């Protein structure tokens, strides 16, 4: 029963409840503690003034905490009203239980009221220290709250069960052991206190004195005081109001506020609520039993983790000792990782043990308290608290929901050491946890060709257990040349446009994850159209030596575009090839495809505004915001232009390229993830990693055109304004994956133009080089 002790202590004083009263929120307070935490409210907030103003309020009017400032989140305690002439600010004091309480209010002028009423100031407010709900007291003051007789009985039984020896109740300092108990006074006395306070003469001579043990039994068997109605103190509770969920007396039904409510017999409702509480306790008891078994499981996991850790360390040391001396430094690092994993697992399990132990302790305390409440024979007192207890039991049972009794950590160390690398690869020695994904399977029923484009679809094998992080689709040049990558991403379907008519292509796909790349799928052979019929052809099966004739539909397109069938990011990554594609009447290397793309709303800053099919952008903020293109480049020569549609108040937009993880809320080039030229109406600068270089005269106005040339073959980035190169080559030795990028504010609007050929003078310069 020790775990039930928290249920029996007042949240204000921290001691066992003395004369507990029940607040409308179903929480309890000592009557003296309730009087100590009263505060006086302004006249305008009193129930009388509200009734006079015509606003309908109940006897217990809950206040708006934001307006009244009763509860302060800063100190997690209680504050006093400030700013009211009738309630000067008084310092708060802390109770032994850590709750801030108010000093007793100044006694009002002497009146004809009783001392209990005189101690409660007019227009008083009380705040529950547990749920922080506030209410204004009516004219009855604290007498308007019912007394919790059941809780008093449970506390008495609990204290009697814990008392090894009964102590005198009248000793001023250290209580002595009691020798007698007066049945009429219901007080335990030691011999000195009995002679001083209970002499055997006069009216006290007729009192019966019994031994302490017998007195404790008689006190336990004596009937409790019957609860009386708070509105009619001379009437006992006789019925139960279903609507208000409280016991009521006969006068409440005849002339009180319960006259029109549905009522039921007190005894019937007493038995019904006892039955409901017992049923709720059954479910909570099962949860508590499962929690105890779960704690045993967690403690066994601690031992098993320790054993597995020792075994794993021994295996690791044995492997490392078998290697040459150069492995010793790496061995220490690996052991540190294992110890870290060991400590992590133990911490997670121990934290779960601690958390579950606290919850189980609270659950057990509530169960024992409810069982003691069920033993009460006072129907009225029981029904006063039964609803709240039933709700608490159900709420506590819900807290033991799914996942609470499931271990958060496994006992196994999912690590294995690969000791096969050569001596020169010792510095790369690491744990291996996963495998490469399985080979993807091309789905022939979804693969098709139309005009000079092809749609390919694939999937992972049905029984594959190793996940793939992405896929790489490769296509040759249609003349038997080497394969080049046309798509890298997570999607499993892709459409490739701009292929040669009347040409044969080979396609294959592979999967990858952090460990490596899977083998290629079977090669799919397809042939593009020869005539103008628009029939769509479906590829029946991938046969390396068989070609599928398709009829030509329209003149050959001069683009090679990547159009994923599902939303996603794609990029061009072409490998060098000696073969060339015919683009109208000119020749262009496979390493310099013409790309069509738009701005990407998915990666842009939230202040960017898109229009014109995501080709035109502006901004809703005066601060610089970054937007990227939807296509990234890692190989080849690429050129695009941006026209300035609006240019107000001489801002300085920036144009260039960036990594996918570039900062989006600053000017392009402020971090090391972007390479840019920012320009105003008179001059421009190149900027990378917040370093400004190569100031060049000549700016932009409305209608100007800014060109960006990314030559990944020569690893250079060059800028143009109105078809003239702006300054020298801006950046050299650029390599990796780059996305077109722009930063602007609300004073600028630009439109993107793609699919453009490289400027003539640059092409001629490149051919000479």
């Amino acid at each position: 029963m020790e775990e039930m002790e928290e249920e029996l202590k007042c949240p204000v004083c921290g001691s066992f409840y003395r004369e507990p009263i029940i607040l409308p929120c179903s929480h309890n307070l000592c009557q003296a503690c309730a009087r100590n935490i009263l505060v006086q409210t302004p006249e305008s907030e009193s129930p009388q003034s509200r009734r006079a103003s015509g606003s309908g309020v109940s006897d217990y009017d809950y206040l708006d905490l934001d307006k009244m400032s009763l509860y302060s989140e800063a100190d997690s305690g209680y504050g006093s009203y400030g700013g009211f002439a009738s309630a000067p600010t008084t310092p708060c004091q802390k109770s032994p239980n850590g709750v801030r309480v108010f000093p007793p209010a100044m006694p009002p002028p002497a009146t004809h009221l009783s001392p209990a009423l005189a101690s409660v100031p007019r227009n008083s407010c009380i705040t529950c220290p547990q749920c922080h709900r506030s209410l204004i007291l009516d004219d009855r003051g604290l007498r308007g709250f019912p007394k919790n007789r059941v809780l008093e009985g449970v506390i008495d039984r609990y204290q009697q069960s814990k008392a090894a020896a009964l102590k005198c109740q009248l000793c001023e300092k250290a209580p002595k052991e009691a020798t007698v108990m007066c049945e009429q006074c219901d007080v335990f006395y030691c011999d000195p206190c009995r002679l001083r306070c209970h002499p055997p003469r006069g009216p006290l001579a007729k009192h019966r004195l019994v031994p302490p043990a017998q007195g404790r039994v008689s006190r336990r068997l004596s009937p409790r005081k019957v609860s009386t109605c708070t509105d009619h103190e001379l009437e006992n509770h006789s019925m139960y109001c279903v609507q208000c969920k409280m016991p009521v007396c006969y006068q409440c039904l005849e002339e009180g506020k319960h006259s029109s409510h549905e009522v039921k017999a007190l005894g019937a409702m007493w038995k019904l609520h006892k039955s409901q509480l017992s049923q709720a306790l059954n479910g909570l008891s099962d949860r508590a039993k499962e929690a105890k078994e779960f704690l045993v499981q967690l403690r066994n996991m601690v031992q098993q983790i320790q054993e597995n850790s020792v075994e794993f360390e021994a295996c690791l040391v044995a492997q490392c000792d078998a290697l040459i001396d150069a492995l010793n430094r790496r061995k220490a690092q690996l052991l540190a990782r294992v110890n870290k994993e060991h400590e992590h697992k133990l911490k997670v399990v121990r934290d779960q043990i601690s958390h579950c132990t606290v919850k189980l302790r609270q659950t057990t305390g509530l169960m024992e308290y409810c069982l003691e409440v069920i033993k009460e024979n006072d129907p009225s007192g029981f029904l006063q608290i039964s609803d709240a207890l039933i709700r608490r039991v159900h709420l506590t049972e819900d807290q033991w929901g799914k996942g609470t009794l499931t271990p958060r950590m496994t006992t196994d160390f999912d690590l294995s050491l690969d000791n096969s690398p050569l001596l020169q690869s010792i510095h790369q020695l690491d744990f291996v946890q996963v495998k490469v994904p399985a080979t993807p399977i091309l789905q022939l029923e979804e693969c098709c060709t139309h005009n000079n484009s092809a749609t390919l679809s694939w999937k992972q094998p049905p029984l594959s257990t190793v996940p793939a992080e992405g896929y790489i689709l490769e296509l040759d040049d249609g003349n038997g040349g080497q394969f080049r990558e046309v798509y890298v991403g997570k999607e499993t379907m892709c459409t490739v446009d701009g292929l040669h008519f009347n040409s044969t292509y080979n396609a294959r796909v592979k999967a990858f994850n952090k460990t490596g790349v899977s083998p290629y799928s079977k090669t799919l052979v397809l042939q593009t159209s020869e005539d103008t019929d628009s029939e769509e052809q479906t590829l029946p099966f991938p046969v390396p030596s068989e070609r599928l004739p398709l009829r030509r539909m329209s003149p050959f397109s001069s683009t090679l575009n990547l159009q994923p069938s599902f939303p996603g990011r794609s990029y061009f990554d072409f490998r060098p090839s000696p073969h060339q594609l015919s683009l109208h009447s000119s020749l262009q290397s496979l390493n310099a495809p013409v790309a069509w793309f738009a701005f990407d709303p998915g990666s842009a800053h939230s202040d960017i505004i898109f229009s014109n099919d995501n080709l035109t952008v502006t901004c809703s903020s005066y601060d610089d915001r970054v937007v990227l293109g939807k296509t990234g480049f890692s190989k080849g020569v690429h050129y695009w232009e941006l026209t300035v549609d609006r240019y107000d108040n001489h801002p300085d937009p920036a144009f260039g390229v960036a990594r996918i993880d570039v900062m989006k809320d600053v000017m392009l080039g402020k971090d090391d993830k972007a390479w840019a030229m920012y320009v105003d109406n008179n001059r421009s600068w190149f900027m990378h990693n917040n370093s400004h270089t190569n100031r060049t005269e000549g700016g932009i106005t409305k209608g100007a055109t800014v060109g960006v040339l990314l030559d990944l073959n020569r690893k250079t980035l060059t800028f143009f304004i109105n078809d003239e190169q702006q300054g020298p080559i801006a950046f050299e030795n650029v390599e990796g994956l780059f996305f077109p990028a722009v930063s602007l504010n609300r004073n600028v609007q630009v439109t993107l133009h793609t699919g453009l050929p490289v400027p003539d003078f640059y092409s001629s310069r490149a051919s000479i080089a």
Side-chain angles (χ1 to χ4, degrees):
M1 295 180 65
E2 293 181 357
E3 295 176 340
M4 183 180 61
E5 188 169 315
E6 293 182 7
E7 299 280 342
L8 308 180
K9 290 185 176 180
C10 175
V12 175
C13 64
S15 303
F16 289 107
Y17 286 103
R18 294 183 295 275
E19 298 182 354
I21 59 175
I22 306 175
L23 301 180
C25 57
S26 300
H27 292 126
N28 301 288
L29 277 180
C30 297
Q31 190 169 13
C33 294
R35 188 176 294 108
N36 283 339
I37 65 173
L38 290 175
V39 293
Q40 189 173 3
T41 62
E43 282 292 330
S44 60
E45 296 294 339
S46 66
Q48 294 83 355
S49 62
R50 291 198 178 189
R51 293 190 190 99
S53 62
S55 60
V57 293
S58 62
D59 290 336
Y60 304 110
D61 184 19
Y62 286 96
L63 299 178
D64 184 347
L65 294 183
D66 291 334
K67 296 179 180 178
M68 302 304 296
S69 302
L70 275 176
Y71 176 69
S72 171
E73 294 182 356
D75 59 7
S76 298
Y78 291 85
S80 61
Y81 284 106
F84 300 121
S86 59
T89 303
T90 55
C92 296
Q93 299 175 352
K94 274 196 174 182
S95 71
N97 203 33
V99 178
R100 294 186 182 273
V101 299
F102 286 90
M106 296 296 294
T111 62
H112 63 281
L113 299 176
S114 64
L117 291 178
S119 61
V120 179
R122 186 168 177 263
N123 300 335
S124 295
C125 172
I126 189 171
T127 301
C128 175
Q130 291 180 279
C131 65
H132 309 302
R133 298 181 70 181
S134 300
L135 56 102
I136 297 177
L137 274 62
D138 58 11
D139 295 335
R140 295 174 295 174
L142 295 178
R143 291 188 299 105
F145 301 124
K147 294 183 179 181
N148 196 336
R149 304 292 187 187
V150 174
L151 181 57
E152 284 185 309
V154 173
I155 292 174
D156 286 344
R157 289 198 299 270
Y158 177 76
Q159 290 178 322
Q160 292 165 9
S161 65
K162 291 195 66 175
L166 295 174
K167 301 295 183 181
C168 175
Q169 295 177 292
L170 297 181
C171 289
E172 294 183 356
K173 295 183 178 180
K176 298 179 181 179
E177 186 173 346
T179 57
V180 295
M181 173 193 170
C182 176
E183 288 187 339
Q184 284 72 28
C185 300
D186 194 19
V187 175
F188 289 94
Y189 299 95
C190 63
D191 287 336
C193 292
R194 177 178 60 81
L195 295 175
R196 184 178 72 255
C197 303
H198 200 286
R201 58 182 179 270
L204 298 179
K206 299 181 180 180
H207 288 194
R208 182 186 177 193
L209 300 178
V210 297
Q214 180 181 347
R216 179 166 62 181
V217 174
S218 62
R219 173 187 284 186
R220 184 180 305 174
L221 296 178
S222 61
R224 288 278 165 194
K225 298 177 182 179
V226 179
S227 299
T228 59
C229 180
T230 56
D231 295 325
H232 311 93
E233 296 183 355
L234 300 179
E235 295 291 338
N236 295 332
H237 291 143
S238 58
M239 300 295 287
Y240 182 80
C241 179
V242 178
Q243 182 174 341
C244 300
K245 295 184 178 180
M246 61 182 297
V248 295
C249 69
Y250 176 77
Q251 289 190 23
C252 291
L253 300 180
E254 290 293 328
E255 56 189 27
K257 60 183 178 181
H258 303 279
S259 58
S260 60
H261 295 176
E262 179 186 359
V263 295
K264 291 188 178 180
L266 195 66
M269 293 302 295
W270 172 48
K271 294 180 180 179
L272 176 62
H273 282 214
K274 270 198 173 185
S275 175
Q276 291 176 352
L277 182 57
S278 299
Q279 292 175 1
L281 280 176
N282 289 335
L284 189 59
S285 176
D286 294 339
R287 293 293 184 182
K289 181 179 179 182
E290 293 176 6
K292 292 179 181 178
E293 296 174 352
F294 180 59
L295 284 174
V296 173
Q297 179 185 355
L298 292 179
R299 294 189 178 98
N300 292 336
M301 286 180 64
V302 172
Q303 180 64 27
Q304 193 172 356
I305 288 175
Q306 293 174 337
E307 294 175 356
N308 290 347
S309 174
V310 173
E311 180 181 355
F312 188 81
E313 289 182 10
C315 178
L316 179 62
V317 171
Q319 289 182 343
C320 290
D321 289 342
L323 302 176
I324 59 177
D325 294 340
L327 291 175
N328 288 334
R329 292 186 298 271
R330 187 63 176 171
K331 178 178 68 175
Q333 297 175 3
L334 296 175
L335 282 174
R337 287 183 56 183
V338 173
N339 290 331
K340 183 178 179 180
E341 181 73 9
H342 171 210
E343 294 300 327
H344 173 66
K345 288 179 177 288
L346 288 181
K347 182 179 183 302
V348 172
V349 176
R350 283 169 176 164
D351 289 347
Q352 195 171 7
I353 288 176
S354 176
H355 178 68
C356 188
T357 301
V358 172
K359 291 187 66 175
L360 178 60
R361 182 171 177 272
Q362 295 173 348
T363 300
T364 305
L366 178 60
M367 291 171 54
E368 292 178 353
Y369 172 58
C370 292
L371 291 173
E372 290 299 323
V373 169
I374 290 178
K375 295 178 183 179
E376 276 298 319
N377 296 322
D378 179 6
S380 173
F382 178 83
L383 291 175
Q384 287 176 337
I385 63 173
S386 57
D387 277 301
L389 284 179
I390 292 172
R391 288 196 302 271
R392 287 187 61 191
V393 169
H394 283 301
L395 179 61
T396 305
E397 182 181 4
D398 293 340
Q399 292 177 353
W400 293 100
K402 292 183 179 179
T404 307
L405 302 181
T406 303
R408 300 174 184 171
M409 181 60 64
T410 62
T411 61
D412 297 329
F413 284 74
D414 300 327
L415 304 170
S416 62
L417 186 64
D418 184 5
N419 60 354
S420 61
L422 299 176
L423 183 62
Q424 59 270 26
S425 301
I426 289 178
H427 67 282
Q428 298 176 347
L429 190 64
D430 204 348
F431 295 106
V432 176
Q433 301 186 49
V434 295
K435 301 178 180 179
V436 298
T439 303
I441 299 176
L442 286 166
Q443 300 188 85
L444 303 181
E445 65 278 5
E446 297 185 15
C447 295
C448 63
T449 60
H450 185 269
N451 292 336
N452 62 333
S453 65
T455 298
L456 301 172
S457 177
W458 58 89
K459 65 178 180 180
Q460 280 290 100
L463 301 180
S464 175
T465 58
V466 180
E469 295 182 2
Y471 303 92
I472 301 174
L473 176 64
E474 295 184 357
L475 201 69
D476 69 0
D477 63 352
N479 290 318
Q482 65 181 13
F483 285 90
R484 77 260 192 208
E485 297 174 0
V486 296
Y487 173 71
V488 177
K490 298 181 179 181
E491 306 300 340
T492 57
M493 182 176 289
C494 178
T495 298
V496 182
D497 291 334
L499 304 177
H500 282 296
F501 285 98
N502 193 23
S503 298
T504 301
Y505 289 90
N506 297 288
R508 63 187 183 184
V509 65
K510 58 183 177 182
F512 65 87
N513 60 12
K514 293 180 179 179
T515 303
V517 181
S518 74
Y520 286 103
S521 66
K522 293 182 179 180
T523 301
L524 183 65
V525 180
L526 54 131
Q527 185 170 352
T528 53
S529 175
E530 294 181 354
D531 57 30
T532 58
D533 192 1
S534 60
E535 276 188 37
E536 181 179 286
Q537 301 291 335
T538 301
L539 304 177
F541 51 85
V543 181
S545 61
E546 185 172 343
R547 301 182 178 182
L548 303 175
L550 296 179
R551 292 181 290 274
R552 180 178 301 171
M553 279 193 59
S554 59
F556 175 70
S557 169
S558 63
T559 64
L560 179 58
N561 291 343
L562 182 65
Q563 299 177 355
S565 299
F566 300 101
R569 180 176 296 282
S570 59
Y571 68 86
F572 294 95
D573 186 1
F574 298 102
R575 300 179 179 178
S577 173
H579 301 279
Q580 296 178 333
L581 290 175
S582 174
L583 305 178
H584 292 293
S585 59
S586 64
L587 295 178
Q588 186 170 345
S589 170
L590 274 174
N591 289 332
V594 180
W596 297 81
F597 60 91
F599 287 117
D600 181 21
S603 63
H605 192 277
S606 58
D607 291 340
I608 296 295
I609 302 174
F610 294 83
S611 59
N612 189 24
D613 293 330
N614 297 336
L615 293 175
T616 301
V617 292
T618 184
C619 181
S620 61
S621 171
Y622 284 109
D623 297 322
D624 291 307
R625 300 293 186 247
V626 173
V627 57
L628 301 180
K630 200 172 183 64
T631 300
F633 305 106
S634 62
K635 297 287 179 65
V637 182
H638 308 278
Y639 178 73
W640 60 93
E641 292 181 346
L642 300 106
T643 56
V644 181
D645 303 328
R646 187 178 71 251
Y647 188 79
D648 302 328
N649 300 324
H650 308 301
D652 46 0
F655 309 87
V657 297
R659 308 289 191 193
I660 185 63
D661 55 346
V662 66
M663 295 173 61
K664 306 296 196 310
D665 56 353
V666 296
M667 178 186 287
L668 194 67
K670 284 285 187 180
D671 61 359
D672 61 349
K673 301 294 193 303
W675 293 256
M677 174 188 73
Y678 73 93
V679 56
D680 58 18
N681 61 320
N682 291 321
R683 61 192 67 84
S684 66
W685 293 263
F686 302 145
M687 185 164 63
H688 169 66
N689 200 16
N690 205 24
S691 175
H692 309 251
T693 59
N694 296 98
R695 170 177 169 174
T696 305
E697 296 300 322
I700 60 174
T701 59
K702 179 179 178 182
T705 300
V706 178
V708 182
L709 178 61
L710 177 64
D711 188 345
L712 292 171
N713 294 339
R714 305 175 70 179
K715 302 180 181 179
T716 62
L717 180 64
T718 309
F719 296 98
F720 302 83
I721 295 181
N722 295 329
D723 298 327
E724 296 291 336
Q725 182 171 335
Q726 183 73 359
I729 294 176
F731 301 99
E732 297 180 340
N733 299 321
V734 293
E735 55 183 338
L737 179 61
F738 300 94
F739 292 86
V742 178
S743 69
L744 42 73
N745 60 21
R746 65 185 305 169
N747 291 320
V748 184
Q749 177 176 303
V750 298
T751 297
L752 176 66
H753 305 278
T754 61
L756 303 177
V758 176
D760 294 337
F761 79 91
Y762 188 85
S763 300
S764 60
R765 183 194 308 169
S767 62
I768 295 175

